[in-house]
Amino acid sequence: MLFTVSCKSQTVSLETAAQCMQENPPFPCPNFTYVKDINNSLNKYVGTWQGNLNGKNYEFKFIKKENVGKDIKDDRLIGRLRITDSNGNIIYNSFAEADDDKTHFFGTNFQPDLKAYIVYFHGPSIGCAEYGDVYLRIQPTTPDQMTIIMIPDNDTTIEGKCPINFQPTIPYEQLIHLVKQ
């Protein structure tokens, strides 16, 4: 007797995958191999966004990449960031980085409540624990405006590695208001 097992790839939406990540998902979650932007929910974030905070100008650029990853493929945003001071001097710039993997700024998915899209950012400051989630939020009534806030993964720094006057690339736990360009 011969048995065959058919393994079909299961594609789910970003929204379904985000809700499956809840402790108590509202529905049974399928096994999936591709998390696809079926509803084009990422499109509203794509483009260049500008704002300022504490005398610094922030310019974020997001592109949408499809079918990326290893074991589980997904559609995600890839970010680039340019920060200048009030005189136009560049403080940080990843716009010229051609390799999307080297921007250290990539989408993970929506929050389970679907109100914000989360991108992971790793800044250039070695030893300063400069990494964490950046929450992108666009209200339906103002599609050309976005707020972001960075929540660091932890606050542990390596003694002697982080300068006393360290300022994170993206300020921690402060809203930055952005306008689409």
Side-chain angles (χ1 to χ4, degrees), residues 39-180:
N39 301 312
N40 294 314
S41 300
L42 296 179
N43 293 359
K44 65 184 176 186
Y45 299 97
V46 172
T48 302
W49 299 81
Q50 293 179 342
N52 54 60
L53 180 69
N54 300 329
K56 294 179 184 174
N57 301 307
Y58 293 85
E59 186 173 8
F60 293 85
K61 185 185 296 184
F62 294 104
I63 61 170
K64 179 176 162 179
K65 297 289 277 195
E66 297 179 337
N67 203 18
V68 295
K70 293 185 180 168
D71 296 330
I72 296 177
K73 305 281 187 187
D74 67 343
D75 295 350
R76 64 175 72 162
L77 294 179
I78 302 294
R80 286 178 170 67
L81 172 61
R82 179 172 31 225
I83 304 170
T84 56
D85 65 18
S86 58
N87 296 320
N89 299 312
I90 295 175
I91 297 169
Y92 179 85
N93 188 3
S94 64
F95 273 34
E97 178 55 63
D99 186 344
D100 292 337
D101 292 333
K102 292 183 179 176
T103 67
H104 306 289
F105 201 17
F106 58 89
T108 57
N109 203 343
F110 287 96
Q111 286 181 293
D113 68 5
L114 307 177
K115 292 185 178 181
Y117 183 76
I118 306 167
V119 290
Y120 188 80
F121 178 77
H122 186 291
S125 299
I126 305 297
C128 293
E130 187 182 9
Y131 49 89
D133 292 327
V134 179
Y135 293 80
L136 312 179
R137 187 174 219 165
I138 297 174
Q139 299 294 336
T141 56
T142 53
D144 62 338
Q145 297 175 32
M146 176 167 52
T147 57
I148 68 159
I149 188 167
M150 180 167 177
I151 308 298
D153 274 355
N154 66 43
D155 58 1
T156 304
T157 60
I158 301 170
E159 190 173 335
K161 296 279 186 179
C162 191
I164 293 172
N165 61 349
F166 167 73
Q167 295 292 316
T169 305
I170 301 174
Y172 299 154
E173 300 176 3
Q174 294 184 51
L175 273 181
I176 302 176
H177 298 273
L178 305 170
V179 176
K180 193 167 194 175

Side-chain angles (χ1 to χ4, degrees), residues 13-20 27 36-37 39 41 109-110 114:
S13 70
L14 287 167
E15 294 83 359
T16 297
Q19 291 175 333
C20 284
F27 47 81
K36 184 169 180 52
D37 187 15
N39 301 312
S41 300
N109 203 343
F110 287 96
L114 307 177

